[in-house]
Amino acid sequence: MSPILGEPGRRVLLLGNEAVARGALEAGVALAAAYPGTPSTEIMETLLSVAPRVGIYAEWSVNEKVALELAVGASMCGARAMAVMKHVGLNVAADTFMSLGYAGVEGGLVVVVADDPGAHSSQNEQDTRLYGVHAYIPVLEPWSPAEAKELTRVAFDLSERYKTAFVVRMTTRVSHTRGEVVLGPLREPVRGGCFKRKPERWVLLPVNVRKLHPEALSRIATLAEELDGLPFNELIEGEGEWAIISCGVAYGYVKEALRLLKARPHVMKLSSTYPVPKKLVRRLFELAPQGILVVEELEPVVEMQVVELAREEGYEGLIVGKKLIPRVQELNVNIVGRAIAEVLGLKWSIEEVFKPPQWLPPRPPTFCPGCGHRAAYYALKVAVRSAKARAVYPGDIGCYTLGFFPPFKAVDTSFCMGSGLGIGLGVSQISKEEVVIATMGDSTFYHAGIPALLNAVYNKHSVVLVVMDNLYTAMTGHQPHPGTGAGPWGEERPKVPIENVARALGVEFVEVVDPYDIERMVSVVRRAIEWARRRQGPAVVIARRKCALIEYRERLRRGEKITPYVVDETACKACGVCTSLFACPALARREDGKAYVISELCVGCGVCAQICPVGAIRREEVKKRC
């Protein structure tokens, strides 16, 4: 049984994301929707794993905007609903999110957003709390898995009480840290009922918006005065005339740094980072006449609010934040310890304890052995060379973004989901001597690629779009999408093939090819290039091959023998085509330059045998190693 379905009072070890899922169930969530994105993915995966058993509705939506709108619609019917996404996903949902701050909610509505300080798996480090400020939507921020569960549960109650959506802001370290969580009682899902017609709130015409805007401001002002009663906002009185305000995982670093420094200043732990609880902060002004250090990751959201309140209250102490705490990357005990030591006049001299070992080998990112994307990029570059084309390669977000790295170097831009094709349209209109070859994944196509392709048809943009289709949202853990033909439990679902969508949009050149078939892939891409050169509109090439990891696991489950390939040492000319131009991790070079296959990594795809110019690579039933 899933640990999140344990009995009340049981202590379990949960990921922060799993704890959020449990908190939603304890709050009586009835509907949850998400689009996968690290570091948020496990929240919905956890809910999907138990949804039939607990009687809630959960889905992977095609994008974050749809997921949020699904939750809004459920809330309008009085149900408790949750939308889950990573921080850049909130950009996609922002149009709805900004209006939600005006309209408010009926049933409790929680938007869980996982930020990624350090950009471990993201294209930026944006701070979701600023969206909260911008949209007048309050933000709660846990510092541990245990608090993540409790804050998620409380957020639903607060949402209904104040008739506003709440954001629970997670960060990578909290999402992916395991901690002890005490389970509370599960609540029966709050399903609501009929749609509650409230046109004065739900119809955002100017006549209504002018009334709703001051109401949104009033809700935030009320919360700023009343959130002192939130038990997760703590004021720990210490000694001296300095205080520290911290929130999220940074509070953990503050605790550890103070332990190492053997210091006891006044400390305020905030779980409501927007708006900050004014009464508690006013009390801190009294306790710390000399100054306050604000420790928070990324933007100075709490610091700005404290500075504003200090001005209102006439507080004369120093307020120090981003002067000592960096605005980029993740924090750690070293960074926080040095800052605390500086304001308290102490010495921090223990950096050596936290230095990472220098012997750790580098691990450059690369495609998996047998990945169809590697074969597709190889064929793509061969086709461009053989067509004597000058190409620009706008890219997108997914596994295929690894095409940026050598040897392919076939990603010239990568901004956000669906941006590659859109940017490519602009490039094609200005750089007339170059052929635009945009790459996009299958999940990205459904998420945000369709509007740009429709634009290309309507405005007659002559570009090539190569859809790298591995039949899953692979990078985040193989979640299904409309092209998979299956739902989250493996059940059969309607399949919406990319080629059908492209043809329905009016694309005339649509070809589906297996990227393992190098010769045909090269031929199809060459024809697509010529199509674009003749200014005949967009050409769509769908390179379809099931994700190598999924295919490998399925073969093992079927009991199939995986027969690796080998290199004939006598035939190998040490040309480097297989190791330098194709660069599969299962291929390596000996000291004399000749190639060999690392049999433990080879999945037997056979693409290397196709590209070897002298036929030195072949399948071998008996394992040999040159």
Side-chain angles (χ1 to χ4, degrees):
M1 186 177 72
S2 171
I4 72 159
L5 292 185
E7 293 298 317
R10 184 181 173 193
R11 296 177 180 271
V12 294
L13 199 62
L14 296 181
L15 283 176
N17 282 346
E18 293 172 328
V20 168
R22 173 70 189 204
L25 294 177
E26 290 183 10
V29 69
L31 178 146
Y35 182 81
T38 306
S40 71
T41 307
E42 295 86 357
I43 298 172
M44 182 53 65
E45 286 189 331
T46 303
L47 287 173
L48 283 166
S49 71
V50 300
R53 195 176 308 173
V54 297
I56 69 169
Y57 179 81
E59 74 167 40
W60 288 118
S61 302
V62 294
N63 65 29
E64 296 85 356
K65 184 174 186 289
V66 172
L68 179 57
E69 288 162 353
L70 198 76
V72 170
S75 171
M76 287 176 172
C77 298
R80 288 196 165 189
M82 182 167 75
V84 182
M85 61 202 71
K86 68 182 292 181
H87 61 300
V88 290
L90 187 54
N91 298 333
V92 179
D95 212 359
T96 302
F97 186 79
M98 295 301 296
S99 295
L100 180 60
Y102 280 37
V105 304
E106 197 63 29
L109 175 56
V110 174
V111 184
V112 183
V113 185
D115 285 4
D116 190 18
H120 296 286
S121 54
S122 310
Q123 61 268 43
N124 65 42
E125 296 182 278
Q126 77 184 43
D127 192 325
T128 288
R129 297 176 301 169
L130 290 174
Y131 261 118
V133 175
H134 197 21
Y136 314 125
I137 293 179
V139 181
L140 303 180
E141 186 173 357
W143 81 278
S144 67
E147 194 168 271
K149 192 220 33 152
E150 293 300 321
L151 278 181
T152 303
R153 178 182 58 78
V154 167
F156 280 96
D157 295 335
L158 292 173
S159 174
E160 282 189 4
R161 185 187 310 165
Y162 292 99
K163 296 300 179 185
T164 179
F166 264 72
V167 169
V168 173
R169 183 215 189 198
M170 301 289 283
T171 56
T172 302
R173 294 298 166 190
V174 180
S175 287
H176 290 163
T177 293
R178 289 194 183 274
E180 186 181 83
V181 176
V182 179
L183 302 182
L186 291 178
R187 181 174 176 178
E188 191 69 23
V190 180
R191 305 183 192 284
C194 295
F195 175 73
K196 301 180 187 301
R197 283 184 170 79
K198 297 191 175 183
E200 71 282 1
R201 289 174 62 195
W202 307 149
V203 183
L204 295 177
L205 291 171
V207 64
N208 292 329
V209 166
R210 285 191 287 267
K211 298 174 184 177
L212 292 172
H213 192 176
E215 288 180 16
L217 289 167
S218 177
R219 280 197 299 267
I220 288 296
T222 300
L223 281 163
E225 295 295 342
E226 295 185 9
L227 282 175
D228 297 85
L230 187 68
F232 309 100
N233 288 328
E234 297 180 56
L235 174 52
I236 306 160
E237 294 190 19
E239 55 193 29
E241 297 189 337
W242 272 90
I244 299 169
I245 299 178
S246 192
C247 54
V249 73
Y251 173 65
Y253 302 137
V254 168
K255 288 181 65 177
E256 179 65 7
L258 291 177
R259 184 186 69 81
L260 293 168
L261 286 167
K262 297 179 173 61
R264 289 188 63 251
H266 311 290
V267 175
M268 180 181 292
K269 179 183 79 68
L270 289 182
S271 291
S272 59
T273 50
Y274 174 71
V276 298
K278 288 189 174 182
K279 291 177 185 175
L280 275 180
V281 177
R282 291 187 190 107
R283 173 61 180 151
L284 205 63
F285 290 160
E286 297 172 3
L287 292 171
Q290 190 168 345
I292 296 171
L293 172 66
V294 182
V295 181
E296 57 186 323
E297 282 190 325
L298 300 181
E299 299 301 322
V301 176
V302 171
E303 181 183 350
M304 289 188 294
Q305 294 176 81
V306 173
V307 167
E308 181 181 359
L309 186 57
R311 189 182 301 116
E312 292 175 5
E313 299 293 320
Y315 176 68
E316 295 181 354
L318 292 174
I319 296 175
V320 183
K322 293 305 169 184
K323 183 178 179 181
L324 297 178
I325 302 295
R327 203 167 172 172
V328 299
Q329 299 288 326
E330 292 181 291
L331 299 184
N332 56 45
V333 175
N334 263 334
I335 293 170
V336 173
R338 283 196 299 268
I340 294 174
E342 182 165 339
V343 299
L344 296 182
L346 302 173
K347 185 178 181 182
W348 179 265
S349 57
I350 50 179
E351 283 91 343
E352 292 294 327
V353 177
F354 301 101
K355 281 190 175 179
Q358 299 301 308
W359 50 264
L360 290 175
R363 189 186 177 197
T366 186
F367 294 113
C368 301
C371 178
H373 298 343
R374 180 189 304 280
Y377 273 122
Y378 178 85
L380 178 60
K381 296 302 289 278
V382 171
V384 168
R385 285 195 298 270
S386 63
K388 295 182 173 57
R390 289 174 55 198
V392 178
Y393 303 101
D396 232 297
I397 306 297
C399 296
Y400 49 91
T401 315
L402 294 173
F404 165 81
F405 295 101
F408 305 113
K409 297 181 180 179
V411 175
D412 291 325
T413 71
S414 180
F415 275 46
C416 60
M417 298 284 284
S419 67
L421 180 56
I423 288 173
L425 303 184
V427 172
S428 72
Q429 289 304 300
I430 302 301
S431 187
K432 300 290 187 181
E433 300 303 313
E434 295 174 298
V435 176
V436 169
I437 304 177
T439 52
M440 179 184 297
D442 43 334
S443 185
T444 303
F445 178 85
Y446 298 111
H447 176 284
I450 294 172
L453 184 57
L454 177 59
N455 190 78
V457 173
Y458 176 69
N459 289 303
K460 300 180 180 178
H461 293 285
S462 294
V463 297
V464 177
L465 171 63
V466 179
V467 182
M468 306 281 198
D469 184 4
N470 59 17
L471 301 176
Y472 291 91
T473 312
M475 178 168 266
T476 51
H478 304 105
Q479 293 80 25
H481 57 57
T484 305
W489 302 286
E491 77 282 11
E492 188 175 345
R493 292 274 181 95
K495 192 170 187 177
V496 186
I498 293 168
E499 57 270 28
N500 290 7
V501 176
R503 292 183 181 116
L505 294 177
V507 181
E508 295 180 30
F509 186 109
V510 180
E511 292 277 359
V512 181
V513 60
D514 182 348
Y516 277 10
D517 187 344
I518 296 294
E519 185 176 348
R520 181 165 183 267
M521 177 87 185
V522 170
S523 172
V524 168
V525 173
R526 279 206 58 170
R527 287 194 287 111
I529 290 171
E530 294 307 317
W531 179 277
R533 278 173 162 170
R534 294 195 298 271
R535 296 289 165 182
Q536 293 181 274
V540 174
V541 177
I542 301 159
R544 179 171 293 145
R545 163 62 64 165
K546 185 181 290 186
C547 174
L549 291 176
I550 293 289
E551 191 164 304
Y552 182 73
R553 293 167 189 166
E554 289 177 349
R555 289 171 67 187
L556 290 179
R557 280 195 291 268
R558 291 193 298 266
E560 293 182 18
K561 182 181 178 182
I562 308 296
T563 306
Y565 278 67
V566 295
V567 177
D568 182 347
E569 180 184 357
T570 61
C572 179
K573 303 299 182 184
C575 66
V577 169
C578 64
T579 54
S580 299
L581 299 183
F582 187 61
C584 176
L587 290 162
R589 301 182 80 170
R590 304 187 316 179
E591 290 184 4
D592 62 2
K594 292 189 176 184
Y596 70 91
V597 175
I598 304 171
S599 59
E600 294 82 1
L601 295 180
C602 180
V603 298
C605 71
V607 177
C608 57
Q610 295 182 55
I611 67 172
C612 178
V614 295
I617 305 176
R618 63 176 185 273
R619 188 186 295 275
E620 186 67 68
E621 289 297 331
V622 181
K623 291 184 180 179
K624 294 181 180 179
R625 184 161 172 172
C626 302

